[in-house]
Amino acid sequence: MALTLLLVVEYCPPSNNYFCTIPKPYSICHQPFLPVATADHLHGYQPDMEQDSDRAFIKDKNVVKRVVIKLGTAVVTKKEGGIALERLQVLCEQIKELRSQDYEVILVTSGAVALGRQALKDRILVHNSSSFHKPVELNGKACATVGQPDLMALFKTVFSEDVTQAQCLVTESDFRGKDFQKQLKETVEHLLSLKAIPLFNENDAVSTRTDPYEDSSGIFWDNDSLAALLAKELKADLLILMSDVDGLYNGPPSNTDSELIHTYIKEKHQGEITFGEKSRVGRGGMAAKVKAAVDAASGGIPVVITSGFDGHNVTRVL
């Protein structure tokens, strides 16, 4: 199993553009270079680096208690379309296991647009001979509106009666208000105290951004960056981004000569990576994940990028 870990806290002078792997509550390292942790180390992988003791914190419940997990659209849905029910059942069982161990879990889940688009396409096919005489171009915001209830119903099914889920829809403009930020924290804290799992998604129906995935100048621009923002706002101890690939590669994962980057260091790797095409149904792609991960890691939040196709990766990380 492969994972990519991003642990970023700014170095002290003389160079504040480097990153080190000592998230709070550990002290900041003053060395010119600190060997960084890799998630593979958690499963017996031993890279040729020193100071491996700095890697153990991620399994320390005194350090990591609150976890934000982001599920991509390719994780929620099948390649041929429809819901990846078995995959989600495994993932949710693992999340329930974390919850039973007193971890606080916050989910950010994609998939509403894909589910809504499929539902609308099915309706068009059924009524094609009567209601729809011309090809219909489906609006993404309308698809999200249709798909959001289906997405919540899906999680209610896979979590069963053991877990209470709380739907939380937000827009970029919400975060511009201090009152909203205060209320967000109060609501989430109360939900977590009740052992509920907040499920966040962007409220696409009323979002004013028309092309959020090309314009990354805002507060957040997709669900990856939303997850990073929430991890910082809600003071999470770890962010896990789950996608359809094992981790971050230096080239398209489909290329046989592409190598997994076990630990990403911005100054070392950002010029060495050739990003491939985004996933079949996602909107951000790996480039967006890296940007979001670096954003979270720069705020002191360690980030793991891993495959959601193996639901056991959730508990393997922790």
Side-chain angles (χ1 to χ4, degrees):
M1 186 215 39
L3 302 155
T4 297
L5 182 62
L6 297 91
L7 304 173
V8 183
V9 174
E10 283 191 2
Y11 266 108
C12 294
S15 174
N16 60 7
N17 293 321
Y18 283 91
F19 301 105
C20 73
T21 65
I22 311 294
K24 296 176 288 187
Y26 294 94
S27 59
I28 294 178
C29 177
H30 292 266
Q31 298 178 20
F33 175 74
L34 176 69
V36 289
T38 75
D40 291 273
H41 174 269
L42 305 176
H43 316 289
Y45 174 83
Q46 292 287 345
D48 186 19
M49 294 181 179
E50 299 177 0
Q51 300 183 12
D52 288 345
S53 60
D54 290 328
R55 305 157 190 249
F57 78 93
I58 204 168
K59 284 185 174 290
D60 187 344
K61 290 184 180 179
N62 293 320
V63 177
V64 177
K65 180 181 180 182
R66 180 170 296 180
V67 183
V68 175
I69 301 174
K70 187 268 180 177
L71 304 179
T73 303
V75 174
V76 177
T77 62
K78 298 178 183 177
K79 184 176 182 180
E80 63 273 16
I83 297 168
L85 188 58
E86 292 184 6
R87 186 185 304 147
L88 279 179
Q89 286 175 330
V90 175
L91 280 167
C92 289
E93 284 298 320
Q94 296 298 295
I95 291 170
K96 286 161 64 175
E97 176 65 23
L98 292 183
R99 185 172 157 275
S100 71
Q101 297 176 23
D102 293 327
Y103 284 100
E104 297 175 339
V105 179
I106 300 165
L107 277 182
V108 179
T109 176
S110 302
V113 173
L115 292 178
R117 179 173 285 111
Q118 186 62 52
L120 289 172
K121 282 183 177 179
D122 291 344
R123 183 172 185 275
I124 290 171
L125 287 174
V126 170
H127 299 280
N128 189 47
S129 60
S130 56
S131 301
F132 302 99
H133 300 287
K134 296 181 180 180
V136 178
E137 183 176 349
L138 298 176
N139 178 277
K141 294 181 183 297
C143 291
T145 305
V146 173
Q148 194 63 48
D150 292 344
L151 188 63
M152 288 303 299
L154 169 62
F155 279 100
K156 186 175 181 64
T157 299
V158 294
F159 275 127
S160 68
E161 299 299 323
D162 300 331
V163 177
T164 300
Q165 311 95 55
Q167 184 181 38
C168 303
L169 297 177
V170 296
T171 66
E172 181 188 31
S173 59
D174 291 334
F175 286 90
R176 299 185 187 278
K178 291 184 178 180
D179 290 342
F180 167 80
Q181 295 176 29
K182 179 175 180 293
Q183 187 60 60
L184 171 71
K185 294 172 184 176
E186 289 180 358
T187 300
V188 172
E189 291 288 350
H190 189 57
L191 289 169
L192 293 175
S193 72
L194 297 172
K195 305 297 183 181
I197 296 182
L199 268 68
F200 278 89
N201 200 349
E202 183 176 7
N203 193 354
D204 292 284
V206 296
S207 174
T208 57
R209 291 183 292 115
T210 57
D211 208 353
Y213 309 101
E214 292 183 5
D215 177 14
S216 59
S217 60
I219 294 176
F220 71 88
W221 50 93
D222 59 10
N223 276 340
D224 291 314
S225 56
L226 172 59
L229 176 61
L230 289 169
K232 293 189 297 182
E233 290 285 339
L234 301 174
K235 301 187 184 304
D237 304 306
L238 178 67
L239 169 61
I240 303 175
L241 300 176
M242 308 203 80
S243 184
D244 58 347
V245 294
D246 292 328
L248 174 63
Y249 289 80
N250 61 1
S254 57
N255 291 357
T256 56
D257 57 346
S258 293
E259 297 180 354
L260 182 78
I261 298 174
H262 297 291
T263 304
Y264 176 91
I265 303 171
K266 185 178 179 182
E267 280 68 25
K268 178 181 178 182
H269 295 114
Q270 68 176 351
E272 300 177 0
I273 299 174
T274 302
F275 293 108
E277 295 181 359
K278 65 182 183 64
S279 69
R280 56 186 170 80
V281 286
R283 295 182 279 183
M286 186 55 70
K289 284 179 175 54
V290 171
K291 183 176 176 60
V294 169
D295 180 47
S298 297
I301 311 295
V303 183
V304 170
I305 299 176
T306 188
S307 173
F309 284 9
D310 184 348
H312 295 283
N313 281 349
V314 172
T315 50
R316 284 173 181 154
V317 169
L318 295 165

